[in-house]
Structures are given as C-alpha cells and as structure tokens.
Amino acid sequence: SVDTSHLGAALRGDFPALQQTVYEDCPLVYLDSAATSQKPREVIEAVSHYYERDNANVHRGAHALSVRATDAYEGARDKVAQFVNAASRREIVFTRGATEAINLVAHSWGLDNVGPGDEI
C-alpha cells in the first residue's frame, strides 16, 4: 500500500497558479476543474516552447515547423497509447474537452449501439 496522504501537498508546488494567496492571505484552493483545469509548470513550459519554436498546423505542412509540430503531436499520441495500453496510436483521439469527447462518442458509436429504453 502506498501512502498518499501528502500527495496533494507534494504536487501543489508543481502548479504556479496555486502558489498565490487570496482573500485575506488564504492559500488558493481551486475547485472549478470542470470548467478549466490549472496547469503544472511542465505543461506551461511545453506549451510556451511550442508557441515560441514550433507553432504550425499539424499534418498540414512540409516545412520545418509543421514537421516538428506533427512529430510532437504524434509522439504524444504514442505516449498516451502506451499509457492506456492501446493497440496503436490510431485508437487515441484528442478532443478539446470532456463535452466534446462525450458528444463524439454519442454520435459516432452511440447512434448505432444505444436505443430507446437502454440505460446508460
């Protein structure tokens, strides 16, 4: 068994937005993750690096920026596929958020596999 009692405190330092205090010097607690999730420093730095060096359309160009952006995108799909034990990167679809993902499943799979009276 792994002791996770201090996990939140250990990870909090990775999130710059959570380093501030609000309302009479209280540590910020952010509970609106359904709307917007706070990003760890590593993600902020990766996004900044992308915009500074590789900002281009993925799968749409033959120039250096587009090639690097596409390689990074496909590399991320490979990492996620390995993490979730997918058979290939083709099984990994990135969406902008949970609502888009649910709607994509509902329209691409649900229309053919779910009907009146089915319980979800």
Side-chain angles (χ1 to χ4, degrees):
S1 165
V2 176
D3 179 16
T4 60
S5 61
H6 300 291
L7 184 59
L11 293 177
R12 186 177 179 88
D14 293 342
F15 293 80
L18 300 180
Q19 304 312 305
Q20 61 186 299
T21 57
V22 294
Y23 307 116
E24 300 180 23
D25 214 29
C26 295
L28 175 66
V29 175
Y30 188 84
L31 301 175
D32 198 15
S33 294
T36 299
S37 62
Q38 296 302 319
K39 310 298 186 275
R41 181 173 272 80
E42 188 171 345
V43 169
I44 294 168
E45 290 171 357
V47 169
S48 178
H49 180 270
Y50 167 80
Y51 282 119
E52 290 172 358
R53 298 194 26 87
D54 302 326
N55 186 24
N57 287 330
V58 173
H59 300 127
R60 297 242 174 132
H63 56 84
L65 298 180
S66 184
V67 170
R68 288 197 312 247
T70 299
D71 288 347
Y73 182 87
E74 293 300 336
R77 286 179 64 191
D78 289 336
K79 286 180 184 178
V80 171
Q82 183 178 13
F83 182 75
V84 300
N85 200 30
S88 83
R89 73 165 60 153
R90 293 188 328 249
E91 295 180 8
I92 305 303
V93 177
F94 293 133
T95 64
R96 290 178 294 244
T99 301
E100 182 183 18
I102 291 168
N103 286 335
L104 180 63
V105 170
H107 290 291
S108 64
W109 178 84
L111 292 176
D112 292 333
N113 294 284
V114 179
D118 288 350
E119 187 173 327
I120 300 175

